Amino acid sequence: MQKFRFDLKKSKMTYLYYIIIFAILACLIFGTYKLAGYSLIQSHDPAEQHLPVLENYRQLLGEFINHPFQPLQMWSWKLGLGADQFQTFAYYVIGDVFAYITLLFPSSAVVTVYQLTLILRLFCVGLSFVFFARHFKLTNSAILGGAIIYTFTSFSLYSSLMQPFFLTPFILFPLIIVGIEKILQGFKPHFFIFTFSWMFISNFYFAIVLGIGAFVYLVLRFIYYYRKNLSFFKTAGTFLISTVISLLISAFIMLPSILAVFSSTRSGGLFANGLTSFPAYYYINLPAQLLAGGVSSFWVKFGFSSLAVLALFHLFYHWKHYPLMTTSLSIGLIMLLFPMFGAMFNGFQAPSNRWILLLFVPISLGSAFFIDSLKKITLPEIKYLSICLGIYLLLVSLPFYINGTTEIFIPVIFLISFFVSILLYRQAKNSGRIIFGLILVNLIFTGVSFASPFTNFYSKTLMPSGSYQKLSSNLFDGLDNSLPKSNSFRVSTISQNYNFGSNYMLRNNLNNDLNLINSYYSIQNGAVGLFSNRLQNAQYNNNIPIENFDDRTIANNFFGVKYLFTHSNEPNESKIPYGYTLFKTKSENKNKPEKTNLYETKNNFPLIYWQSDVTSNQKTAKLSASDQERQLAKTVSIADTSGFNQKQSTFDTKNVAYTIVKTVNAGEPNETKTRVTNNHYRNNPVSDSYQIKIKNAKKYQNSELHLSLTNIKHQSLSSKEQVNMAIFNNATKPDNQLLDTNGPRSAQKSLRKQLTTGSSNTGYSIGVKSDLTTNSIEQLGIENLSFFKVLSDTTLNMGYQKQMPKSLDLLLSNSGTYSFNLKITAVPLGQTYTNDVKQIQKNKLNSLKFATNRVSGKITTDQLGILTSSIPYSTGWTATDNGHSVPVIKTNSAFIGLKLKKGPHHIIYSYQTPGLSTGFLLSILGLIVWGSYSLTPLIWRRLRRL
């Protein structure tokens, strides 16, 4: 049994050695990105979420420092349609200690500081492990070896660039273990309280993962070592009191965050994405994950130094000597086999295995013990290691053979090299240093390979140096400078049109002067998500509930979108909603045809307006998505309609008659055409195509065209059917020559694909193409984790049609059988709709004024009605009418509103983050209790002296 000791006297030179080693490795790995012309800003989550949030938060911190007595800005009009800024930022930066480093630099340097802190976070990961490992009887070589193995894994390297705040748990977990050991060995609980408070404050998701990990460690440590040496109830009481104090201290951020999650789009998701087991390819690739993390799935990204594999064999050979580590690793291995555990750690949602970060401590510590045990390795253990190594090499060769990937090649070479070095040098005096040197070389090779744009596709998703700064400073080619700065209207772009390359899409606001409806955050307003789903927004996602709302005219008008930015020579440049006319255009480079265009409309709804006619939520729910959208310009939907003028709305939407024709082998002598009559589509993507023929197309001109798909289902082919189809397609492709028609090879490729990506083919898309646009809905595969949703009903907007097309192409992506009910609706948009909008604009809330967490205005009504808005609903909103408090209600299922009687009204809406005030009081109480807990022994000693 390895003892955790606090009385070991070690040279502090270990820290200096670590600093030098880390500097060398970091320069080689991150320098490779620099030499290749990349910044350290990944084009997806970091550029779209983390960095914009940090820039905004740095600005808020600067304003708070300059004006400390001003009220805290809790509501922001810049986060999509508007959102709680505290709750949104709490997930990313408020509890992140590294975010506050930006205060040491001017705001203009945030982008540079962000990139530097990525490396600093990684440095602190290893530093935490060194501090932790120094409590064991280990040599410097062993401690440093374990530290750099812990630091430079595929998980940590990936997280440092993709989701940098995920390095915080790596820093915290070793410190938490130290805190637990201090209490178990009779020390004061202050270190535990400090680290647990930090854990709760940093991020509620980390708190779940690390909290469970800490509890498992405590139970196992107690069972294996302390159960005979301490008082159970006294120790349990200390842990309980310390945990409660930590929860109280962190309440100011934990309470609002928990309330936000329960009312967010993430609540009520499908447990484990509906999985009871992982796909076959997951299990095939799992053994190789210890060495290479690039072929990972479901967030299994180990990618340790090759020595760690041998260290694991060593631990289990001496399992009686290492019971805690082998038990925890065994539990971890079992948990990796079932999706339910990943989902449990992930808030009972997607089966994300990011909890594996808990296993990095025992694996890295085990590697350190292995280094110091080299001289004690016996011949029987050598034989055992060789057998385990042989079996392991067979397991990792399987995915290599199936996938043809070369990523595992270098780690396997080093694995064999480590084994040979142990055979040759295990008896040598400096065996630990030899192995440590080989670890360094191993990590240099794998780290540089991970960073190389020639060997790793991931590095190619990084933005070129300076590109983020250029993008954020000139997002709309300066056309936005001419727009008024006001929260009373919003702006947007067109779907798939604002694409900057490298997988970067404009999903978040980078311009603080504009209110862009797009938003991409982990915590999103659940009411807005409900509204988006109710209207069957094809672009809905838990993290992106609105996006461009599929460019639907009435929805954009309802949101108050007055201006649209588009790029010419990009997809959907002509898919402009009704009523938006070209206002300005500008080209950044006169030698290039690309232009930025600015469109304007007079049909945008006011932010807040009054409506006399109401409809119940129950009646609204029975309408089609197109009619519900059209209803927004006629009535307001509320829960309780008693006493109101309930109007039975009539809609001018028209059902479009159509037929669907299937063509097989188009353009070939054996071409056949058949009419689809049963809503079932047996599809072979190579040979089959479908066309929607619209009847009497001239009847539906000047309308927006909606295609509603309901009861969507997809039945994939069996493994055998997929193989047979691959052989058939290979033999019948019209462009194939004789030597290309290799049936067995086609069968092998089909099987390889199934084993690589899963035979279930859970992902597919259904698209529709016209001369104006191509629109589609995608069923993401189960491995897409938080982006996964079960596709059932949707509405595809094909844009405003002055002349209705006579036909549309129906695009089915995968083989198999599709089934869905299709309804095509034409939504006329002309003078009738414009008159409805003008009436709404007449009833707007006048004299609109905005202040921090507040909006106010005046209106006079001639009868009982509802003050309606497009401000997202939250329990944090309160309101007064002529100085009297009035209840805030939900309008249109998602937005704030008020019941107004006849007469003049002075309305004030105020906002306060739910749970924040209570959380602050609890945090103050927690600090007082902690202080009292610390001072009690001192007070008792002084009282005794008296």
Side-chain angles (χ1 to χ4, degrees):
M1 178 75 69
Q2 296 298 318
K3 291 185 178 181
F4 198 102
R5 300 176 62 177
F6 291 95
D7 58 349
L8 292 174
K9 294 182 180 180
K10 291 180 176 288
S11 169
K12 293 186 179 180
M13 291 297 291
T14 312
Y15 292 108
L16 178 61
Y17 296 148
Y18 169 72
I19 293 171
I20 295 170
I21 292 165
F22 178 87
I24 294 171
L25 289 169
C27 286
L28 289 170
I29 294 171
F30 293 102
T32 305
Y33 292 116
K34 186 68 176 177
L35 291 174
Y38 294 117
S39 65
L40 298 182
I41 304 171
Q42 207 269 347
S43 60
H44 191 43
D45 284 4
E48 295 178 9
Q49 291 187 76
H50 299 271
L51 190 45
V53 167
L54 181 62
E55 288 182 300
N56 278 279
Y57 190 56
R58 169 62 178 80
Q59 180 181 346
L60 289 172
L61 289 174
E63 292 172 357
F64 175 76
I65 291 172
N66 293 327
H67 307 285
F69 300 108
Q70 293 292 324
L72 294 173
Q73 184 177 336
M74 291 176 271
W75 181 265
S76 172
W77 303 101
K78 312 299 180 185
L79 303 178
L81 299 179
D84 188 305
Q85 188 164 248
F86 185 90
Q87 290 177 333
T88 303
F89 286 7
Y91 185 82
Y92 296 95
V93 291
I94 295 179
D96 180 13
V97 295
F98 294 93
Y100 297 90
I101 295 175
T102 58
L103 290 172
L104 303 176
F105 302 87
S107 58
S108 59
V110 170
V111 178
T112 301
V113 175
Y114 169 83
Q115 296 176 77
L116 292 175
T117 55
L118 302 184
I119 303 173
L120 179 60
R121 290 173 192 267
L122 202 59
F123 169 77
C124 291
V125 167
L127 198 66
S128 174
F129 186 88
V130 171
F131 171 75
F132 163 74
R134 280 166 55 86
H135 293 85
F136 296 92
K137 196 173 182 180
L138 292 166
T139 63
N140 276 343
S141 295
I143 293 173
L144 294 171
I148 61 172
I149 288 174
Y150 185 69
T151 304
F152 293 94
T153 66
S154 291
F155 192 116
S156 57
L157 286 172
Y158 179 82
S159 296
S160 66
L161 297 172
M162 183 64 178
Q163 293 182 331
F165 69 158
F166 263 95
L167 292 180
T168 302
F170 282 84
I171 300 169
L172 277 170
F173 196 48
L175 302 181
I176 290 171
I177 293 175
V178 174
I180 291 173
E181 289 290 341
K182 276 184 171 288
I183 293 178
L184 290 174
Q185 296 189 27
F187 292 91
K188 300 296 181 184
H190 304 308
F191 191 83
F192 177 85
I193 294 173
F194 169 76
T195 54
F196 242 51
S197 299
W198 182 6
M199 175 189 77
F200 286 127
I201 290 171
S202 64
N203 183 284
F204 68 86
Y205 177 77
F206 301 159
I208 294 172
V209 175
L210 293 174
I212 295 174
F215 179 75
V216 172
Y217 175 86
L218 175 60
V219 170
L220 293 178
R221 191 67 168 163
F222 175 79
I223 291 172
Y224 285 126
Y225 192 78
Y226 289 105
R227 69 179 186 275
K228 296 180 181 179
N229 302 325
L230 51 77
S231 169
F232 173 82
F233 291 103
K234 180 181 178 182
T235 307
T238 302
F239 277 111
L240 180 61
I241 293 171
S242 301
T243 302
V244 170
I245 291 173
S246 301
L247 280 168
L248 287 172
I249 291 171
S250 63
F252 77 96
I253 195 168
M254 280 289 288
L255 185 58
S257 296
I258 292 171
L259 293 175
V261 172
F262 285 144
S263 61
S264 74
T265 54
R266 288 183 174 270
S267 61
L270 185 63
F271 178 72
N273 289 1
L275 290 175
T276 54
S277 63
F278 289 111
Y281 69 88
Y282 170 87
Y283 299 106
I284 291 172
N285 290 325
L286 191 57
Q289 290 305 303
L290 278 172
L291 297 177
V295 292
S296 63
S297 54
F298 297 94
W299 262 94
V300 179
K301 292 178 180 293
F302 285 113
F304 285 99
S305 163
S306 300
L307 179 75
V309 175
L310 298 174
L312 287 176
F313 298 156
H314 169 77
L315 289 178
F316 282 96
Y317 184 78
H318 297 282
W319 64 270
K320 290 184 179 179
H321 193 61
Y322 304 108
L324 180 76
M325 285 190 283
T326 53
T327 302
S328 59
L329 290 170
S330 298
I331 293 172
L333 177 60
I334 294 170
M335 291 171 59
L336 278 172
L337 300 178
F338 301 99
M340 60 178 290
F341 293 106
M344 288 168 60
F345 275 90
N346 199 38
F348 295 90
Q349 299 288 311
S352 173
N353 284 319
R354 285 182 287 203
W355 63 266
I356 64 170
L357 61 89
L358 299 173
L359 301 178
F360 285 53
V361 169
I363 292 175
S364 301
L365 184 62
S367 299
F369 285 131
F370 182 52
I371 292 171
D372 271 358
S373 301
L374 292 176
K375 295 179 183 179
K376 301 176 183 177
I377 292 180
T378 61
L379 289 176
E381 184 174 353
I382 291 292
K383 183 179 179 181
Y384 160 82
L385 290 176
S386 62
I387 293 172
C388 291
L389 180 60
I391 295 172
Y392 181 77
L393 289 175
L394 286 175
L395 291 174
V396 298
S397 298
L398 181 61
F400 171 77
Y401 175 75
I402 295 173
N403 302 336
T405 178
T406 59
E407 186 187 19
I408 200 72
F409 181 74
I410 291 178
V412 165
I413 292 297
F414 274 100
L415 178 57
I416 296 171
S417 299
F418 275 114
F419 184 69
V420 172
S421 298
I422 291 170
L423 290 177
L424 295 176
Y425 299 109
R426 71 181 190 280
Q427 302 295 342
K429 250 187 182 182
N430 56 351
S431 58
R433 293 182 181 179
I434 293 172
I435 295 299
F436 175 71
L438 193 55
I439 292 172
L440 282 179
V441 177
N442 181 188
L443 292 176
I444 289 170
F445 267 86
T446 55
V448 171
S449 175
F450 194 88
S452 172
F454 305 108
T455 59
N456 195 314
F457 173 78
Y458 169 70
S459 62
K460 297 177 184 178
T461 65
L462 296 175
M463 302 182 77
S465 296
S467 60
Y468 179 86
Q469 295 92 321
K470 180 181 179 182
L471 174 67
S472 58
S473 63
N474 195 27
L475 191 62
F476 300 114
D477 267 350
L479 291 178
D480 51 304
N481 295 330
S482 61
L483 301 183
K485 296 176 175 57
S486 173
N487 293 322
S488 61
F489 68 88
R490 301 183 178 103
V491 303
S492 187
T493 58
I494 295 295
S495 303
Q496 302 171 21
N497 178 260
Y498 241 78
N499 189 346
F500 298 95
S502 296
N503 199 34
Y504 182 86
M505 301 292 291
L506 185 61
R507 288 175 171 155
N508 261 335
N509 195 2
L510 303 183
N511 187 319
N512 281 330
D513 293 328
L514 297 177
N515 295 356
L516 191 73
I517 67 170
N518 299 23
S519 67
Y520 174 33
Y521 300 107
S522 292
I523 303 300
Q524 294 278 8
N525 187 298
V528 172
L530 176 65
F531 174 83
S532 189
N533 276 320
R534 200 188 75 188
L535 268 64
Q536 295 184 357
N537 173 20
Q539 294 180 319
Y540 172 82
N541 183 277
N542 283 345
N543 295 341
I544 313 168
I546 296 295
E547 201 156 339
N548 309 105
F549 218 90
D550 204 18
D551 314 311
R552 285 155 67 169
T553 298
I554 301 174
N556 272 273
N557 290 164
F558 170 74
F559 294 143
V561 176
K562 186 174 180 62
Y563 298 99
L564 284 173
F565 294 94
T566 71
H567 276 163
S568 60
N569 295 316
E570 292 283 349
N572 292 332
E573 64 170 314
S574 300
K575 189 188 176 186
I576 307 301
Y578 168 75
Y580 288 85
T581 57
L582 187 63
F583 179 51
K584 286 184 179 182
T585 186
K586 185 177 180 181
S587 177
E588 182 181 357
N589 190 332
K590 295 181 180 180
N591 298 322
K592 292 184 178 181
E594 290 81 6
K595 294 181 179 180
T596 301
N597 305 304
L598 177 60
Y599 289 82
E600 183 184 27
T601 187
K602 295 180 180 179
N603 291 336
N604 59 297
F605 290 19
L607 180 67
I608 307 173
Y609 54 95
W610 177 82
Q611 287 180 295
S612 59
D613 298 325
V614 303
T615 304
S616 69
N617 290 340
Q618 292 83 355
K619 289 182 179 179
T620 299
K622 296 177 181 179
L623 300 174
S624 68
S626 298
D627 284 346
Q628 287 190 53
E629 184 180 5
R630 184 65 181 88
Q631 181 179 269
L632 293 172
K634 291 179 172 291
T635 71
V636 56
S637 173
I638 59 174
D640 181 11
T641 59
S642 56
F644 288 92
N645 178 25
Q646 298 185 53
K647 184 176 181 180
Q648 186 65 40
S649 298
T650 57
F651 304 102
D652 50 4
T653 55
K654 300 175 182 179
N655 293 333
V656 177
Y658 67 92
T659 59
I660 298 180
V661 176
K662 177 180 180 179
T663 303
V664 180
N665 297 323
E668 296 302 306
N670 59 341
E671 176 184 314
T672 60
K673 290 180 179 288
T674 56
R675 182 175 172 180
V676 179
T677 58
N678 59 359
N679 295 336
H680 283 67
Y681 308 84
R682 179 81 172 182
N683 187 56
N684 181 346
V686 174
S687 61
D688 301 344
S689 62
Y690 295 87
Q691 198 169 50
I692 303 171
K693 302 283 188 179
I694 295 179
K695 299 178 180 180
N696 302 318
K698 291 183 179 180
K699 289 174 54 179
Y700 312 112
Q701 60 186 5
N702 298 321
S703 299
E704 191 168 84
L705 187 61
H706 293 176
L707 278 75
S708 174
L709 289 78
T710 56
N711 298 317
I712 301 170
K713 295 178 182 177
H714 174 254
Q715 180 64 49
S716 60
L717 300 179
S718 66
S719 297
K720 185 177 180 180
E721 287 174 324
Q722 291 183 56
V723 170
N724 291 337
M725 179 175 283
I727 296 172
F728 172 80
N729 290 338
N730 182 268
T732 57
K733 284 182 183 177
D735 56 343
N736 271 359
Q737 302 298 319
L738 178 62
L739 298 180
D740 295 327
T741 57
N742 186 332
R745 180 174 179 273
S746 299
Q748 292 166 12
K749 287 176 67 177
S750 176
L751 284 171
R752 171 180 165 183
K753 180 181 179 181
Q754 293 176 51
L755 291 172
T756 302
T757 59
S759 59
S760 59
N761 284 332
T762 54
Y764 62 88
S765 67
I766 302 173
V768 181
K769 181 180 180 181
S770 71
D771 293 336
L772 181 66
T773 183
T774 298
N775 202 354
S776 64
I777 185 72
E778 184 177 6
Q779 172 63 71
L780 296 173
I782 50 177
E783 67 279 358
N784 280 275
L785 300 179
S786 59
F787 284 92
F788 174 82
K789 62 179 180 179
V790 177
L791 187 58
S792 176
D793 306 315
T794 192
T795 295
L796 295 175
N797 172 33
M798 300 307 294
Y800 175 69
Q801 313 281 338
K802 292 183 178 179
Q803 298 294 329
M804 190 66 62
K806 295 181 179 179
S807 65
L808 304 165
D809 293 330
L810 179 61
L811 311 174
L812 306 177
S813 64
N814 281 7
S815 58
T817 301
Y818 294 76
S819 66
F820 50 83
N821 300 322
L822 176 62
K823 178 183 177 182
I824 302 180
T825 304
V827 183
L829 294 170
Q831 194 58 48
T832 301
Y833 170 69
T834 301
N835 290 339
D836 288 342
V837 174
K838 286 181 178 179
Q839 184 60 43
I840 286 173
Q841 291 172 338
K842 286 181 182 179
N843 294 329
K844 69 178 180 179
L845 189 67
N846 297 307
S847 305
L848 210 60
K849 294 182 180 179
F850 294 89
T852 303
N853 309 316
R854 178 172 164 167
V855 58
S856 62
K858 298 178 180 179
I859 192 172
T860 299
T861 60
D862 57 7
Q863 60 178 303
L864 179 68
I866 297 293
L867 191 66
T868 313
S869 77
S870 59
I871 302 172
Y873 178 85
S874 166
T875 56
W877 283 109
T878 56
T880 60
D881 179 4
N882 296 327
H884 300 287
S885 180
V886 289
V888 176
I889 65 171
K890 275 187 184 179
T891 62
N892 295 314
S893 300
F895 307 98
I896 63 171
L898 299 175
K899 295 180 180 181
L900 296 185
K901 297 179 180 179
K902 179 181 177 180
H905 304 273
H906 179 211
I907 305 298
I908 300 176
Y909 279 114
S910 302
Y911 187 81
Q912 185 174 25
T913 297
L916 185 59
S917 297
T918 303
F920 267 116
L921 291 175
L922 290 175
S923 293
I924 293 171
L925 175 63
L927 291 172
I928 293 172
V929 172
W930 188 14
S932 302
Y933 190 56
S934 303
L935 295 174
T936 299
L938 178 63
I939 294 172
W940 272 110
R941 281 197 298 270
R942 291 189 175 181
L943 287 174
R944 285 172 183 171
R945 291 175 184 174
L946 295 176

